[in-house]
Amino acid sequence: MRLLHAARNRPPAWAALVLGLGLMVLSWAGPLWAQTAAPPVDASPVSTEQTVDIEPVAADAAIARRIDRILTATEWYQDIEVDVDQGVAFLDGVAETDAQRLWAQDLAAKTSGVVAVVNRIEVSTEVDWSFDPALTEINRLMQDALAALPLFLLALLVLPLAWYAAKLVARLVRWLLGDRLKTPFLRSVVSRIVAFPVFLIGLYIVLQVAGLTQLALSLVGGAGVVGIVIGFAFRDIAENFLASLILSVRTPFQRGDFIEVAGLSGTVKSMSTRSTLLSSVEGNQIHIPNATIFKSVIENFTSSSSRRGDFVVGVGYDAPVPEVQAIILDCLQTHDAVLPDPEPMVLVDALGAATVNIRTYYWFNGHVISPIKLKSALLRTVKSALMTAGVSLPDEAREVIFPQGVQVITGSDSAPGAAPPEDVSAPPTVEPDITASEGDLLAETEPAEEVAGLDDEDDLLGQAEERPQR
């Protein structure tokens, strides 16, 4: 019986030839099909949990008909064929999804009399050109949009109200801080910090009604992570911004002050969130990062109205030093630009190679008077007064000084009856306190006009304090 069954199932010779040709074609086109073909179907036998009886309960043909009728009734499968041999169910056909394939396998395994299942059902890889899934998805989106329309209208109503309420609060805070904070930038920052929670309240109401509170928390958390990343990427910009805030609070200088910082000096023109603009004495514009200014030593020459100046005058060793000091001190005390308090000082500074160096200290109003113009006027006045008093002003070179002078006798002078030479030296001129080149001795401060490209909020410096006039 077994030999007959094997002979009956033996394939003919032409089938073996076709199978060999098919294997050759597969070996050549296999790599190409592997990219597009469906995954191979696992046709290994699946054992069931049923006990294998010695005598079958139901005939194999009856089991096959029962499973075939059930699978055909579902209309899920194409070309379905069910064959049962000795309780082993062989399933062949095409299913639309892998879930349907597994369902047929479970059905056959649960059928009474089936001891194993060989599932050879393939999953269809044909493309479905039906637009039904797309239309269904569009219909669902339209229904969701109609359901969310009231929330959208609420957001259109609440968010603008919250925005305008925040702007009103910001204006109110700026008005209240108008007399306390002179810097427009600080007033703007404080007002925005106070007004921001007002807008957050409106946003929270919209999210709470829409049921998106968890989404809002996720966005806030993500924004925090993004903020950290941006902070590392733009560390220099953030550092300059924080430095500008601190400098605006401490106000070590203001517009119009002459300062020196990081080896650079000039008049302060403006300060933005990134840098401070200086105008040097040569007329050049210098942009210094605020972080550099915050970390460096700042020397403000115009922060105090009283400034001290000095100059050195060298007189001859034959000159009486006390009289020279009195002459210089009188010149300083009679000059209008020199302050009487603190009093000026005239002190011997050093004994030079050919002169006695006398250093003079004096005070003046630095907000009004130009230091270089005043020094020029004082040197000129002191030089004239010393020459009028007959005080010698030799240079630094070594020279032989004859206090009584040297008489030079020529042939004409030795002739008998010759008249003594006349003194043709001109009388000393009196120097004026101020010359045309020195002007009115006022400082060269320019009007604090706005720098091009900056508005009131970009300039972090407040209005300069009113300087005392002469």
Side-chain angles (χ1 to χ4, degrees):
M1 181 64 67
R2 292 181 180 178
L3 295 176
L4 291 176
H5 181 73
R8 185 179 54 187
N9 293 335
R10 182 179 302 170
W14 63 267
L17 179 61
V18 172
L19 181 60
L21 293 175
L23 291 177
M24 292 176 61
V25 173
L26 287 176
S27 63
W28 173 76
L32 179 63
W33 288 353
Q35 299 179 359
T36 57
V41 177
D42 185 10
S44 58
V46 179
S47 300
T48 64
E49 298 180 356
Q50 300 182 19
T51 304
V52 179
D53 298 329
I54 298 177
E55 294 293 336
V57 178
D60 293 339
I63 297 174
R65 287 193 301 271
R66 178 59 174 166
I67 297 176
D68 183 81
R69 286 196 299 266
I70 295 175
L71 296 180
T72 303
T74 60
E75 297 181 355
W76 289 347
Y77 307 94
Q78 299 177 4
D79 302 331
I80 189 69
E81 293 182 3
V82 180
D83 187 15
V84 180
D85 186 8
Q86 298 297 324
V88 179
F90 298 89
L91 305 179
D92 295 286
V94 179
E96 295 180 357
T97 62
D98 191 65
Q100 296 176 358
R101 176 179 176 276
L102 295 178
W103 186 85
Q105 177 179 312
D106 294 339
L107 172 67
K110 295 178 181 179
T111 303
S112 178
V114 176
V115 297
V117 178
V118 178
N119 191 356
R120 296 181 295 197
I121 297 178
E122 298 179 355
V123 179
S124 175
T125 57
E126 296 180 359
V127 179
D128 187 7
W129 290 97
S130 176
F131 291 96
D132 293 339
L135 295 177
T136 303
E137 187 66 21
I138 293 175
N139 187 20
R140 186 184 65 81
L141 291 177
M142 293 179 61
Q143 293 178 357
D144 294 342
L146 292 176
L149 183 60
L151 299 178
F152 180 72
L153 296 177
L154 177 64
L156 290 180
L157 178 64
V158 174
L159 290 181
L161 291 178
W163 177 261
Y164 285 112
K167 293 185 65 176
L168 291 177
V169 171
R171 291 182 180 179
L172 178 61
V173 172
R174 280 197 296 267
W175 178 75
L176 293 176
L177 297 177
D179 298 334
R180 300 182 181 181
L181 295 178
K182 299 181 180 180
T183 306
F185 175 72
L186 288 180
R187 291 197 299 267
S188 176
V189 171
V190 174
S191 61
R192 290 177 182 178
I193 292 176
V194 176
F196 186 67
V198 177
F199 179 74
L200 286 183
I201 292 175
L203 182 61
Y204 175 78
I205 293 175
V206 174
L207 294 177
Q208 185 68 23
V209 174
L212 299 177
T213 307
Q214 296 297 329
L215 176 61
L217 295 177
S218 301
L219 291 177
V220 171
V225 175
V226 173
I228 294 175
V229 175
I230 294 176
F232 278 104
F234 299 94
R235 181 181 59 183
D236 294 338
I237 298 177
E239 186 179 11
N240 289 325
F241 178 76
L242 294 177
S244 64
L245 285 178
I246 299 176
L247 290 175
S248 299
V249 174
R250 295 184 177 181
T251 60
F253 53 82
Q254 53 187 333
R255 188 185 306 164
D257 288 347
F258 189 85
I259 66 173
E260 181 177 356
V261 57
L264 302 172
S265 59
T267 303
V268 179
K269 308 301 292 184
S270 64
M271 182 173 68
S272 64
T273 56
R274 296 173 295 275
S275 61
T276 298
L277 176 62
L278 302 183
S279 178
S280 65
V281 293
E282 294 85 4
N284 301 324
Q285 290 187 353
I286 305 174
H287 291 267
I288 306 177
N290 292 329
T292 303
I293 296 178
F294 179 73
K295 298 175 183 178
S296 304
V297 177
I298 304 174
E299 185 175 2
N300 194 337
F301 296 96
T302 55
S303 60
S304 177
S305 59
S306 297
R307 291 185 61 183
R308 193 185 74 173
D310 65 282
F311 60 86
V312 178
V313 176
V315 299
Y317 275 89
D318 59 332
V321 175
E323 294 182 7
V324 173
Q325 290 176 313
I327 293 173
I328 296 176
L329 184 60
D330 182 68
C331 293
L332 297 177
Q333 291 176 347
T334 56
H335 202 285
D336 295 336
V338 178
L339 297 177
D341 187 24
E343 296 181 357
M345 296 183 298
V346 182
L347 306 174
V348 176
D349 185 63
L351 299 177
T355 59
V356 178
N357 297 329
I358 299 177
R359 184 176 294 273
T360 302
Y361 300 93
Y362 57 94
W363 293 82
F364 62 96
N365 189 344
H367 290 168
V368 180
I369 303 300
S370 171
I372 56 177
K373 292 180 180 180
L374 178 58
K375 183 176 181 180
S376 173
L378 292 178
L379 283 173
R380 186 172 41 77
T381 303
V382 169
K383 172 254 182 185
S384 177
L386 292 177
M387 292 186 67
T388 302
V391 178
S392 61
L393 302 173
D395 57 12
E396 292 293 336
R398 292 184 178 272
E399 57 182 347
V400 179
I401 300 175
F402 299 93
Q404 304 301 327
V406 179
Q407 184 179 4
V408 180
I409 301 175
T410 62
S412 59
D413 294 338
S414 60
E422 297 181 358
D423 187 7
V424 294
S425 61
T429 59
V430 179
E431 294 285 346
D433 291 343
I434 301 175
T435 61
S437 61
E438 294 166 353
D440 51 5
L441 301 183
L442 297 180
E444 309 89 346
T445 55
E446 300 177 359
E449 69 276 0
E450 292 185 359
V451 180
L454 294 177
D455 53 18
D456 292 339
E457 292 188 359
D458 290 333
D459 191 0
L460 311 188
L461 297 175
Q463 298 296 330
E465 297 180 357
E466 184 178 357
R467 302 298 190 187
Q469 303 297 328
R470 291 186 60 188

